[in-house]
Amino acid sequence: MGRRGHYLIGAPWIYLLDLEPDLGAKAKREGTIWYPFHGWEKHSVRGDHARLAAEIKDVESGRVTICLYWLEFANPDIRQAYESQGFRVISHGERGSRWDGAGRDFLRKQLTQLRRHRRVASNRLGSAVFYGASVGCEVAVYGDPMQLEDERPEYGGTARRLRLWPELHGVRVDPELAGQTARRELGFDYQATPEELRRMFGWERVRCA
């Protein structure tokens, strides 16, 4: 695109995998971890959680863990929609931001859960699905994608995701293809070495006494 001074280094997730090669690993992975599409601090999501929970019950076999963002987790009606189907309901907590330390362990919590589950699913293709595929989870994307309040149409919405990644939608997805797509989208081929990162960002080595 003609831009200068930009470097491709891949997603933070791939560096976490290097730092935590065994975090959450189990000899036998069981069940499905399901991530309903969530809102954020400025916009909520419109959708029928009870109907989605019923569909999950019909599709999934074995134990199901529902992982809600902290905003939805704080809503007892949303939690009840999933708990009433016998699902375990958890949250990884806040994601935080560049301006504060909240959510510092968010990705570690997510990695722990993904490595414990055989399968990851969501009603929208997003980072959780790519992360799960990158650590060997089976993948599924199905159900009502729900609607974010004031969702910007120029981003293309669900139609764009279906057009770009049709192979990752459905109740059963080719695991090898999902893993390959996840590695490409997360930028595994662009992972930088510690020395390369120090050079790019001007970091200096610090000697510890």
Side-chain angles (χ1 to χ4, degrees):
M1 297 177 66
R3 295 178 179 175
R4 298 180 180 179
H6 290 69
Y7 302 94
L8 296 176
I9 62 172
W13 179 260
I14 66 179
Y15 298 89
L16 177 61
L17 298 186
D18 264 1
L19 291 170
E20 300 285 4
D22 301 314
L23 182 66
K26 292 180 65 177
K28 183 179 180 182
R29 300 163 72 153
E30 297 178 321
T32 299
I33 184 163
W34 223 101
Y35 289 88
F37 178 58
H38 64 81
W40 64 301
E41 287 72 9
K42 292 185 179 181
H43 298 291
S44 60
V45 164
R46 295 193 299 270
D48 189 334
H49 286 275
R51 187 175 67 178
L52 180 60
E55 183 173 2
I56 295 169
K57 185 76 170 181
D58 287 341
V59 171
E60 301 297 334
S61 59
R63 293 189 300 176
V64 175
T65 297
I66 302 294
C67 187
L68 299 173
Y69 190 46
W70 74 270
L71 289 169
E72 284 80 12
F73 188 81
N75 185 324
D77 292 334
I78 294 178
R79 290 202 313 272
Q80 176 60 23
Y82 297 103
E83 290 171 344
S84 66
Q85 295 287 354
F87 302 148
R88 170 177 172 248
V89 179
I90 65 169
S91 175
H92 299 324
E94 295 184 52
R95 291 181 299 184
S97 71
R98 72 185 74 176
W99 297 285
D100 61 55
R104 185 172 297 171
D105 291 327
F106 185 94
L107 288 182
R108 283 187 171 86
K109 293 176 182 177
Q110 189 165 25
L111 176 57
T112 297
Q113 291 298 324
L114 287 169
R115 280 181 170 158
R116 290 176 177 174
H117 288 82
R118 175 181 56 82
R119 176 173 159 92
V120 61
S122 180
N123 51 336
R124 281 206 190 196
L125 180 61
S127 58
V129 175
F130 287 123
Y131 293 164
S134 76
V135 295
C137 291
E138 298 174 15
V139 165
V141 178
Y142 64 90
D144 175 15
M146 300 188 177
Q147 185 69 32
L148 187 67
E149 288 183 350
D150 298 322
E151 190 164 348
R152 296 173 64 175
E154 62 266 32
Y155 292 153
T158 298
R160 178 174 180 266
R161 289 186 294 275
L162 282 167
R163 186 175 69 253
L164 291 176
W165 299 284
E167 72 278 11
L168 296 185
H169 288 78
V171 297
R172 295 288 181 271
V173 170
D174 182 335
E176 184 175 349
L177 185 57
Q180 292 172 355
T181 303
R183 292 184 65 84
R184 182 176 67 248
E185 295 299 326
L186 294 172
F188 274 73
D189 289 343
Y190 299 101
Q191 184 173 359
T193 66
E195 186 57 43
E196 287 171 333
L197 290 173
R198 279 192 289 269
R199 188 166 61 250
M200 288 178 196
F201 296 111
W203 294 337
E204 296 182 0
R205 291 179 180 271
V206 176
R207 290 186 177 275
C208 297

